[in-house]
Amino acid sequence: MPNATTARLSRRGLLAVGGALGLGAVLTACGGDDAKDGGADTKGSAKIGPWTFKDDRGTTVKLDEAPKNIVAFTGVAAALYDYGIEVKGVFGPTATKDGKADVQAGDMDVSKVTVLGNVWDQFNVEKYAALAPDVLISTMFDDAGTLWYVPEASKDKIAKLAPSVGISVFDRQLTAPLQRMWELAESLGADMTAAKVTEAKKRFEAASERLRKAAKAKPEIKVLVGSASPELFYVSGSNLSIDLEYFKALGVNFVEPTEEAKKATGGWFESLSWENVDKHKADVIMMDDRSSAIQPADITEATWKQLPAVKAGQVIARSTEPILSYDKCVAPVEALAEAIEKARKVS
């Protein structure tokens, strides 16, 4: 994932499988509709009076009232949707080539939001201005306050149109940004006492305990985190990425890239040729599920097919950029717990 000190790598190569991202220079984003079709039944109740929120840059946004015209990065919009908060516009991976919702859009109806840009470095400033935005919200994959998917070339123009909020997903465990998104949704008027919301949090906590027990019962199971492109296979390190840092804290035994390789990518990952994809031994492989990455079923490389974990059917998807609602973070935790529980030692 991106790193402030590796700005160029961060905004382009950064997209290459790093801890929290994966690969590809094309992602998508999306915004939500009302609380149906998977959205939490917590339709935001308009808050009366001034609205303030201090983001993870230490910046406090102050408005006369809670923002109504919200524009957000896909994953943020998807998380807010789960809490019953609608957005007007989105930017980032929103829809696939066949018009379906991108994996990062969650349960949102992508046909009901204004898409300002569906791929990396696309952001229609004119459309953004026409929405009369009250606030722009995105995640941050570095410690420099860089708003994810806001193009470098147009960031100053964008900043003049509305204040922004940044939620950090850099070098911390998953529970921290989950809590921050909860606080943001609550400030925007979401009902955080709704049964669907509180039950999702309980399910997440139960899934986490299941993963902890699975990792403790099978400490010998090695888990490799990968992402595939036509030319290279990327192996993510367990530092910096919110999901991997959390899983490691729960006891998961991750395969780590070499220190030399991580230094070259700001600590995020190691890139391997397909001829050398067997460099690291693993029992379970987690693969980047984003549309910018080649999915396991579509990998044709013979070296991949010969990997012990692949031959044993011990490959699962990884939500490389988790949607930061408790509801959407349950499945990835449960999937890894189940994979470790069922895994045979093949490395």
Side-chain angles (χ1 to χ4, degrees), residues 103-153:
V103 65
Q104 292 183 255
D107 292 328
M108 293 187 298
D109 183 343
V110 300
S111 69
K112 295 184 178 180
V113 291
T114 298
V115 180
L116 305 176
N118 198 59
V119 300
W120 185 255
D121 252 2
Q122 282 188 3
F123 191 112
N124 191 313
V125 180
E126 289 71 27
K127 276 189 178 182
Y128 178 56
L131 291 174
D134 293 320
V135 67
L136 178 148
I137 310 172
S138 190
T139 49
M140 301 181 298
F141 284 95
D142 61 28
D143 55 8
T146 305
L147 295 173
W148 190 232
Y149 262 82
V150 173
E152 184 70 23

Side-chain angles (χ1 to χ4, degrees), residues 19-20 172-174 225 241-248 254 286 318-322:
R172 62 203 60 205
Q173 292 182 28
L174 178 59
V225 182
S241 298
I242 56 174
D243 60 329
L244 304 186
E245 286 202 10
Y246 183 57
F247 298 158
K248 183 169 65 173
F254 284 111
M286 299 174 69
R318 175 203 176 197
S319 296
T320 306
E321 290 186 65

Side-chain angles (χ1 to χ4, degrees), residues 313-345:
Q314 295 177 175
V315 178
I316 63 171
R318 175 203 176 197
S319 296
T320 306
E321 290 186 65
I323 293 173
L324 297 172
S325 71
Y326 284 101
D327 179 69
K328 291 300 179 293
C329 287
V330 172
V333 181
E334 288 184 335
L336 181 53
E338 181 177 11
I340 293 174
E341 290 166 353
K342 295 181 176 179
R344 293 184 293 109
K345 183 67 179 174

Side-chain angles (χ1 to χ4, degrees), residues 306-317:
Q306 291 304 309
L307 293 177
V310 175
K311 293 172 72 175
Q314 295 177 175
V315 178
I316 63 171

